[in-house]
Structure formats: structure tokens, C-alpha cells
Amino acid sequence: MSASLPLVSALTFLPLGSALVLAFFRRDAVRAVRAFALAASLLTLGLALALLLAFDGTSGLPEFVERAPWLGRGIDYQVGVDGISLFLVVLAAFLTPLALLSSWRAVGDRVKEFSFFMLALETGMIGVFVSLNLFLFYVFWEAMLVPMYFLIGIWGGPRRVRATTKFVLFTMFGSLLMLVAVFVLHAAYHRATGTFSLALADLAAVSYPPALETWLFLAFALAFAVKVPLFPLHTWLPDAHVEAPTAGSVLLAAVLLKMGAYGFLRLGLPLFPGAAASFAPALSVLAVIGIVYGGLMALVQKDMKSLVAYSSVSHMGLVMLAVFSLNPEGTQGAVYQMLNHGLSTGALFLCVGMLYERTHTRLIKDHGGVAGRMPVFAGLFLVAVLSSAGLPGLNGFVGEILCLFGAFAADRTLAVLAVSTVILSAAYLLWLYGRVMHGPVREPAGTALRDLDRRELVCLVPIVVLILFMGLFPGVILRRMDAAVARHVRTPRTETVAAPAAEAAAPAAPAAALLAGGER
């Protein structure tokens, strides 16, 4: 379905354009900078909600598709959204203004630069989810790393240099291999068809030699596994989370980690189905190891931020297990759980940041009896904790159940081991809540705990409302992604090559239909 208005492009580039406008603001005009950045992010959210309301989803095909020539030789500008990518776009647009608002007091130095990088990061995040051309996907994938590097490196904690170094080394190594694979895939498509194209629909319609498909899948898989992060490529994540400012931690956990799993869903499985099926058992084992390892590590953490970071390793392991179940229940559960994790973990990092602003310590042992001083905060924090633990009636329960259904259908042994995430997450999250919120009052010297103000309520209440809504009415979202998931999982790959991009009005293969566009 093609768009009559460039809604997707406007949504994607509005934050970056606003960031460039910030260059003309005076550095000491802090209030104006903050207000403008927040207004730009809210306008972006408005466009995302307009996209959501106008989205149909019954065909499973990308909608609001925009195409334009770019660099030639198959490297075109092509964007759009389907039932898999739509809600991830909305998630990024929803959390960015909340992250900016959370930094109102936490970031007082170089506010103009901070706001610039936050808005630039939003464009990179949305761009990854809407890209329908492989080269464009890679450009956005790399572009989003730069703002996050500066957000951690400038506004991070005392060990920010070490954290940013690990972040860059891990992500750049995987990205360079992916770039090589992009060029090889470009040449392979040309050899198979005689034409050039990097449109995802075209690439998905071609069968590649098994050996080439294996190496290409491994190159892409390494880049995606680092971003998830999949065990044992997770070691950069706890340092990055602990040292990042609260706003950076929120977006890193809630959105950036999802790009790895999304990369597997959008590229790894449709482009290389044979290799994906071959490596699914091994990757599923690594996912289960990550579930158990992340949960056990979270149990022994002394820093609240570090605990939430390791919980992400565990929860994203469940998402990866669902992705490689290679069935509709698992795929739908993986997408839903990515949304759930984004909301619950984003809320947890916001709560930890708000508490840190008052006590200037994140050590669990330094806190106690907070609920008596901050009852509203304690109530909202409890909802986020129970959401992350998968309490029935909240969003996390629906995602976990769907992921486990898919996992049981694929491999019962691994699924049984994966159920440990329910026990482990309840253990470390309730232990965290009990130690911090209840028990003897421990208030660091020189601090006076006060409950949430209006700005902080605006940050947390919308997330809590969505946590409740997604837990009670999951069908509203699941129905929008049903058709896209069905096309993504159930349709076989054609054995014939695709038509050239210019002639591909109809997909040459059902597997390509998820990525192709017709006329709306």
C-alpha cells in the first residue's frame, strides 16, 4: 500500500530536523531548548498515533509505502510499516518525550547538545523500523549509534569512558560484518537476476546457494545478537546501562535492544530461511542460557540499575527463544513481549532515576522504608515491578505466555528451562522492591525523600496506563499484527528468483509479501 502523503518520512525525519533547528538556539536558553525539544518529540508522537489510527493491517503488507530513487544500483529510499514494525515505531515515539521530560532536573549541563542527540537518536530508531531497503536499514542502524555514544560518553557516570568503549567495540564489529554481507548480498542478487536491488521484498524472493546463505546469515546474526544482546555477547550492556543517564538507559533498554530481535524477524528469517532454520536450535540454546544467566546475575546485584540491566538480558533471551521457535505464536509473542519489555523496563529505569535524584545512590543497601515516605511512587513502582515479573492482568503476562506457547511447540525441553524466567524474575524483582520500599528506614544523610511531583507523574502514569491496557485488552494490538505474522511465518519461500525491482508490482514469492508494497 503506497502513501498519498509522506507520513512515514515526516515521522522519521521530524526529530532530526528539529535537532538541526536547535543549533540556532542560544546555549544559555535552557528553558527554550527543553521546551522546543519536548514539543518536537510530542509532535512526532502525534504523527505516530495518526499512523496507528490510519493503519489497516488486514493484508499483512507494508502500508504507507514511500519510494524514491536515491543512490542508484538498487539503493533506493523505501520506507513503510506493517503489523510487526508499527508498534515498535509507536513505542519509540511514545518513550522519547518521556525520556526528555525525565531529564529535566537530572541533566543541567550542555542541555542544548543533550536535546540534540536525543532527537537525533529518535530519528535513527524510527528509521530502522520503517526501512524497506537493506542499505537504508544499515544507514539508520549505524546512525543511531552515534547519538547514544555521546549520550553515555558525555552525560554518563564516572566509568562512562569504559562503558562507551565497550559499546562501540561490540556494536561496530558486528556492524562492519553486516556491511560486508550487504555488499555480498547485493552482488549475489545481481548474479541471480541480472538486475540490482536491495529492496527487502526482492532480496527475500531469491534463493541463494546454501553455503553463501549460511555465511550471510551468520554475518547478520552476529550484528543482531550483539544488539539484543544474546549470551555471550551481552557484556557491554550492564556497563552501558549503569553509566548512561536515565534518559539514555530508558531508550537503550526500551527501544535499542529491540532492534536486534527485530533484525532477526525482518531480515534474518525472511532472507535466509534455510540457514535460520539450521541455526535455530543453537540460537535457542543460547537464548535459554541467557534467560537463566541473566536472572541469576540479577539476583546478586547490589546496584538497582545493574539489576534491571541483567533482567533485560534474561527477558530478551525469552524474546529470542520465541523468535527462533519459527511459528506464529512465538513470533507474535516475541513482538508483543518486546513492547512489554520496553514499557516495564523503561518504567523501572525511570523509577530508579527518580530515586537516585533524591538519594544520590543506587545501592540497594542504602535504601529502605521508601514506601512510607513516597507512597505514590511506591504504587507506580510496584506496577512496573509486577509487569516485568509477568503478573496476570498486566502486559508482561500476555507476552510471556505467547512466547512460551511458541517455545513449547518448537522444543519442549528448552521451553521447560525457559519457564525459569517466571521464577527468577519474581525473585529478584520482589526482593528489590521489598528491600527498597519496605523494612527499616534507610535514608542517606542529607536527603529528604519527597513524593513524585507533577512532571514525574507525567513520566510514569502514561506507561502504567499502557501496562494495564495491554494486560487487559491484548487483542487490540494482537489483531493488528495477525496478518503480518501469518505471512512472515507460514508462507514458503519460492524456488524462483524475483522479478527486478522496477517490475515487482506483485511479489514473486509469498515470503516476500511481508516486505512488498502494492497500491493502496
Side-chain angles (χ1 to χ4, degrees), residues 100-427:
L100 282 167
L101 197 59
S102 73
S103 66
W104 224 253
R105 283 199 300 260
V107 176
D109 182 38
R110 302 181 185 179
V111 175
K112 175 180 171 179
E113 290 82 355
F114 177 83
S115 301
F116 174 90
F117 287 124
M118 287 288 289
L119 291 174
L121 178 63
E122 184 176 17
T123 285
M125 294 186 300
I126 294 174
V128 167
F129 295 133
V130 302
S131 295
L132 297 179
N133 184 281
L134 182 56
F135 192 81
L136 185 64
F137 176 92
Y138 179 81
V139 169
F140 282 119
W141 179 275
E142 287 293 281
M144 71 179 176
L145 300 179
V146 178
M148 183 55 69
Y149 170 81
F150 285 107
L151 287 171
I152 300 175
I154 298 176
W155 294 275
R159 300 171 62 194
R160 59 185 179 273
V161 174
R162 181 174 184 268
T164 52
T165 300
K166 290 181 70 173
F167 173 71
V168 169
L169 289 178
F170 271 82
T171 53
M172 287 299 294
F173 179 73
S175 297
L176 287 175
L177 288 179
M178 183 166 67
L179 179 60
V180 173
V182 169
F183 288 128
V184 173
L185 193 57
H186 188 245
Y189 181 86
H190 180 256
R191 285 196 300 269
T193 65
T195 61
F196 289 104
S197 179
L198 281 176
L200 299 183
D202 294 342
L203 296 176
V206 174
S207 294
Y208 305 100
L212 176 62
E213 182 175 329
T214 297
W215 287 110
L216 288 172
F217 175 80
L218 288 175
F220 280 98
L222 181 61
F224 299 149
V226 168
K227 190 59 65 67
V228 170
L230 187 66
F231 180 91
L233 301 173
H234 67 282
T235 57
W236 64 270
L237 181 63
D239 288 333
H241 269 316
V242 170
E243 300 305 321
T246 297
S249 292
V250 170
L251 295 182
L252 178 61
V255 184
L256 265 70
L257 299 190
K258 311 305 176 290
M259 293 178 181
Y262 177 79
F264 278 111
L265 286 173
R266 178 60 75 213
L267 302 181
L269 274 59
L271 301 188
F272 317 111
S278 298
F279 285 99
L283 291 169
S284 296
V285 169
L286 292 178
V288 171
I289 293 174
I291 291 172
V292 178
Y293 170 83
L296 293 175
M297 287 297 293
L299 275 171
V300 299
Q301 296 306 305
K302 300 177 181 179
D303 184 294
M304 287 184 281
K305 247 190 171 185
S306 186
L307 185 150
V308 179
Y310 276 107
S311 76
S312 294
V313 175
S314 182
H315 288 143
M316 290 306 296
L318 180 61
V319 169
M320 289 302 299
L321 180 63
V323 167
F324 284 100
S325 67
L326 304 180
N327 55 51
E329 295 82 8
T331 301
Q332 197 166 51
V335 178
Y336 204 79
Q337 188 62 4
M338 283 193 277
L339 301 174
N340 295 336
H341 181 262
L343 293 175
S344 60
T345 306
L348 288 174
F349 275 118
L350 285 173
C351 288
V352 172
M354 291 171 185
L355 197 57
Y356 178 78
E357 287 182 20
R358 290 162 169 78
T359 64
H360 305 292
T361 176
R362 291 191 298 265
L363 294 179
I364 297 172
K365 68 179 181 63
D366 292 339
H367 298 84
V370 173
R373 309 290 186 90
M374 305 173 64
V376 175
F377 172 78
L380 296 175
F381 191 17
L382 180 61
V383 174
V385 163
L386 295 177
S387 167
S388 188
L391 180 74
L394 300 180
N395 60 341
F397 175 75
V398 179
E400 285 186 359
I401 288 298
L402 287 174
C403 288
L404 290 172
F405 276 157
F408 268 100
D411 190 313
R412 292 185 180 181
T413 302
L414 292 179
V416 169
L417 294 174
V419 172
S420 63
T421 185
V422 178
I423 301 171
L424 290 172
S425 60

